[in-house]
Amino acid sequence: MKTLVIVAHPNIEQSKVNKTWMNRLQQEDVTINNLYEKYPHFEIDVEKEQQLLLDHDRIVFQFPLYWYSTPALLKQWQDSVLTYGFAYGSEGTKLRGKEFMLAISTGGPAQAYQSGGLNHYSMSELTRPLQATANLCGMHFLPSFLLQGVMNVTEEVLQESAEELAAYVTNPNLRVSR
Ligand SMILES: Cc1cc2nc3c(=O)[nH]c(=O)nc-3n(C[C@H](O)[C@H](O)[C@H](O)COP(=O)(O)O)c2cc1C
């Protein structure tokens, strides 16, 4: 099972969570695809990105939640790379059967992401467009890996989450819930 981790953080040097996660994942047998480093001007090499997808069986989107969604370059990546005839459409079967998962950090704490909470909606609800995308492309959408309330997260919890993410990304079946 070859795993591709697509990291989208506009300022990874100043990141706490996503940088820690990415550095930890670099120790695993996975391919890290750091989008903002590769495409600072949003000029995505579509063929190269499609080839990367073809070469892997499990695709991970790793990003900080920005306005209840992905950072802009990851949306641009979806719009450019998931083309008709490649990712969807009667001949667009190239992603079929692959696994797909999200690893997301959020400023808001977990209890804010529920009915009656500050943000009203759960992370499952807010990530529905990505789940629908996976469905349309015939990919298996796995449970998301979340670290929430990151403003107050301790170094210990951050390091623990990096270990858990490394274990989850390399073996989603072994996930123990937090
Ligand atoms: C432009 C922007 C939008 C954000 N939108 C949200 C949001 O919708 N919900 C939320 O919980 N946190 C939001 N945040 C907080 C980030 O998710 C948080 O800073 C990030 O997950 C921390 O990860 P990092 O240490 O890798 O930067 C936002 C931050 C920025 C800069």
Side-chain angles (χ1 to χ4, degrees), residues 31-133:
T31 306
I32 305 284
N33 188 18
N34 184 347
L35 286 190
Y36 276 92
E37 184 184 65
K38 267 165 85 181
Y39 305 118
H41 305 296
F42 281 54
E43 288 158 3
I44 293 170
D45 184 335
V46 173
E47 253 179 59
K48 204 173 184 176
E49 295 302 311
Q50 289 182 339
Q51 190 57 52
L52 269 176
L53 292 173
L54 293 173
D55 291 344
H56 294 82
D57 320 289
R58 181 180 298 141
I59 316 298
V60 183
F61 279 6
Q62 185 205 305
F63 58 92
L65 193 70
Y66 277 9
W67 288 111
Y68 310 108
S69 185
T70 66
L73 181 57
L74 186 52
K75 180 59 166 64
Q76 180 68 52
W77 182 97
Q78 294 168 64
D79 296 351
S80 306
V81 176
L82 303 179
T83 53
Y84 178 81
F86 177 81
Y88 70 100
S90 58
E91 313 263 300
T93 57
K94 300 289 192 291
L95 303 179
R96 227 173 248 181
K98 293 184 190 291
E99 292 181 350
F100 181 66
M101 66 164 81
L102 309 174
I104 310 174
S105 62
T106 76
Q111 63 268 29
Y113 285 91
Q114 60 181 322
S115 310
L118 182 71
N119 295 311
H120 296 286
Y121 308 106
S122 69
M123 288 301 293
S124 288
E125 289 171 305
L126 293 168
T127 54
R128 213 67 98 194
L130 289 163
Q131 184 177 6
T133 300

Side-chain angles (χ1 to χ4, degrees), residues 9-12 14-21 62-69 104-109 112-113 119 123 126 147-151 158:
H9 193 297
N11 195 353
I12 197 83
Q14 297 199 349
S15 148
K16 188 163 68 168
V17 181
N18 285 271
K19 186 165 70 176
T20 303
W21 284 357
Q62 185 205 305
F63 58 92
L65 193 70
Y66 277 9
W67 288 111
Y68 310 108
S69 185
I104 310 174
S105 62
T106 76
Y113 285 91
N119 295 311
M123 288 301 293
L126 293 168
L147 184 63
Q148 304 197 263
V150 298
M151 306 313 175
L158 180 57

